[in-house]
Amino acid sequence: MSLKSAVPLLKNVNFVNLLLFRLLIVFSYQTVAVVVGWHIYQITHNPFSLGLIGLAEVIPYICTALFAGYAIDHHSRRMFGVFASLVLMLNALVLAAVAHGYIGSDSSIWIYCSIACVGLARAFIGPTYSSLFALVVKREEFGRAASIGSSVLQTGLVLGPALGGLLVAYTSISVAYLVAAAFGVSAGLALLFLRVAEPPPAESSPVFASIAQGLRFVAGNQVVLGAQALDMFAVLFGGAVAMLPAFIHDIYHYGVEGLGILRAAPALGAICMGLLLTRYPINKNAGRILLIAVAGFGVCIILFALTTHFWIAALILMFSGACDGVSVVIRTTIMQLMTPDNMRGRVSAINGIFIGSSNELGAFESGLSAKLLGLIPSVIFGGLMTLTVVGITAKLAPKLRKVHLSDLH
């Protein structure tokens, strides 16, 4: 398949609007993510405070995600995405007020509370995107559309942190937060312009019974469960990105622009991989390739911890992003192809708990490990644990190891 074959998808106005929503909302929370890490480290100069950012986000995320999936399956898929966009906008405005000194007392508490609101909003983003994706893309185009969507996501993960770093370096922290607020409201508008007829909501059922139905589906499907668990634990233990402000300050001795570069490097690698997979999609041996890609991610994390050279570190992080890009495309395609239409919100929410929460829990684990073991040993430990997770998954999930995407169509 050539890049030219992606043109019909990009002529789909609804798909483009959905991609625009995804890009803008990632811009919003990724700009906040890089700026708030710099902001809190300036206040505390403590790596553990960076881990607490992840914990502050993941607790409301986990508590809300399953209910968000239920709400999206049983009500409007679009309006909950608009709600999430507005929450991110208001949250960024609060952070701007803290940075500008309008909220002078207990600034760290305000920052952590604001990050908790980000976790609440993010619980609705994944299920919204996943449910609308299945409405605007034909089933036979899921694999190619997932590669394009992954490239768009990773573009946001590149440009969001880079923009956040540049804004802090050349303007101020408060201006960076205001730009993030503008991205949030723009994402909501992109979703409002989506023209798609939503199917009737799933038959009403008790909330907890409906959530349990989604949990049973995932738990009973070794391929879906194995792919989600693999990515969750790999990211949980390999979450070196949360410690980047400490590496910039203490190892590389760069300014905030260096933080933006390192935060953007993994996503740049993932963009390149997404474009490559658009041209050469994975169909055969997808499970084996997934395991190899996650193992490659773990090796990259170890190599990153061992280098003291800024640009070598950036290159290694770019390769880690390329490995992660393979994982994201394969896992997303598996989930889209194997999930019943009336359960997409709930299954996506469960996937979000596995994958989305692992980033924040990984940040907390990295902060705690850095406090107990030291900065560099904690990252090496995380990479070794990622390799261990790959070995365990290969043993316990043979159906995932043998899966071919072409057999799922």
Side-chain angles (χ1 to χ4, degrees):
M1 179 172 56
S2 67
L3 289 175
K4 185 177 180 180
S5 63
V7 171
L9 268 173
L10 296 178
K11 288 183 177 179
N12 181 337
V13 175
N14 284 326
F15 182 55
V16 171
N17 273 345
L18 186 61
L19 293 178
L20 185 60
F21 160 74
R22 191 177 210 190
L23 179 64
L24 290 170
I25 208 159
V26 171
F27 273 170
S28 182
Y29 69 73
Q30 281 295 315
T31 300
V32 167
V34 72
V35 176
V36 83
W38 187 261
H39 191 180
I40 199 70
Y41 199 76
Q42 277 191 331
I43 295 171
T44 66
H45 297 284
N46 184 353
F48 186 60
S49 67
L50 300 173
L52 289 177
I53 290 176
L55 190 63
E57 184 172 348
V58 76
I59 291 174
Y61 182 95
I62 291 176
C63 291
T64 308
L66 293 177
F67 298 99
Y70 171 86
I72 287 168
D73 276 342
H74 291 82
H75 302 286
S76 171
R77 292 159 172 79
R78 183 184 355 213
M79 295 313 296
F80 285 107
V82 174
F83 161 77
S85 303
L86 294 178
V87 169
L88 290 178
M89 178 199 70
L90 294 172
N91 174 69
L93 292 177
V94 170
L95 288 169
V98 173
H100 203 69
Y102 292 134
I103 303 175
S105 61
D106 299 322
S107 56
S108 294
I109 299 299
W110 278 96
I111 290 173
Y112 288 126
C113 289
S114 295
I115 292 303
C117 292
V118 173
L120 173 67
R122 284 190 57 212
F124 292 89
I125 295 171
T128 294
Y129 176 81
S130 180
S131 297
L132 291 173
F133 178 96
L135 294 180
V136 302
V137 176
K138 296 178 180 178
R139 185 177 178 84
E140 60 269 21
E141 296 176 330
F142 276 3
R144 183 173 42 179
S147 295
I148 296 173
S150 176
S151 295
V152 168
L153 171 65
Q154 299 301 334
T155 298
L157 295 177
V158 168
L159 297 182
L163 179 61
L166 290 173
L167 287 170
V168 173
Y170 294 105
T171 58
S172 66
I173 290 176
S174 56
V175 169
Y177 286 139
L178 290 174
V179 171
F183 284 137
V185 70
S186 299
L189 290 173
L191 211 53
L192 286 174
F193 283 117
L194 193 68
R195 294 290 177 262
V196 60
E198 296 190 31
E203 184 178 347
S204 182
S205 59
V207 174
F208 290 102
S210 181
I211 290 173
Q213 183 184 19
L215 290 170
R216 284 195 298 270
F217 169 80
V218 173
N221 190 310
Q222 187 183 111
V223 175
V224 173
L225 179 63
Q228 292 183 359
L230 174 66
D231 208 50
M232 173 186 176
F233 287 107
V235 174
L236 175 64
F237 291 113
V241 170
M243 294 296 104
L244 288 182
F247 273 89
I248 290 293
H249 270 281
D250 304 334
I251 306 297
Y252 308 126
H253 306 293
Y254 262 66
V256 68
E257 66 276 11
L259 176 60
I261 291 170
L262 291 188
R263 284 293 299 256
L268 180 60
I271 288 175
C272 296
M273 182 56 67
L275 294 174
L276 184 64
L277 293 179
T278 301
R279 183 174 179 84
Y280 303 105
I282 296 170
N283 286 308
K284 296 291 185 181
N285 300 312
R288 292 180 183 177
I289 294 172
L290 175 62
L291 291 166
I292 293 170
V294 177
F297 174 81
V299 171
C300 287
I301 295 304
I302 295 170
L303 294 176
F304 166 75
L306 294 175
T307 184
T308 57
H309 299 281
F310 176 83
W311 289 108
I312 294 177
L315 183 63
I316 292 170
L317 288 176
M318 187 175 75
F319 279 112
S320 77
C323 293
D324 189 50
V326 174
S327 172
V328 168
V329 169
I330 294 176
R331 175 174 45 79
T332 301
T333 306
I334 286 174
M335 190 180 73
Q336 290 288 356
L337 289 173
M338 300 191 76
T339 303
D341 287 339
N342 65 343
M343 296 177 64
R344 291 190 182 277
R346 281 162 287 172
V347 173
S348 178
I350 296 166
N351 177 69
I353 291 177
F354 273 92
I355 310 307
S357 64
S358 61
N359 288 288
E360 288 70 41
L361 285 175
F364 178 69
E365 181 273 334
S366 296
L368 184 60
S369 296
K371 185 176 180 66
L372 297 175
L373 303 176
L375 183 61
I376 292 174
S378 69
V379 177
I380 294 174
F381 169 77
L384 291 173
M385 288 301 297
T386 298
L387 295 177
T388 302
V389 166
V390 172
I392 293 173
T393 304
K395 176 69 174 177
L396 298 182
K399 290 183 180 179
L400 174 64
R401 189 176 69 244
K402 299 173 182 178
V403 75
H404 303 285
L405 293 181
S406 55
D407 295 338
L408 303 180
H409 288 285

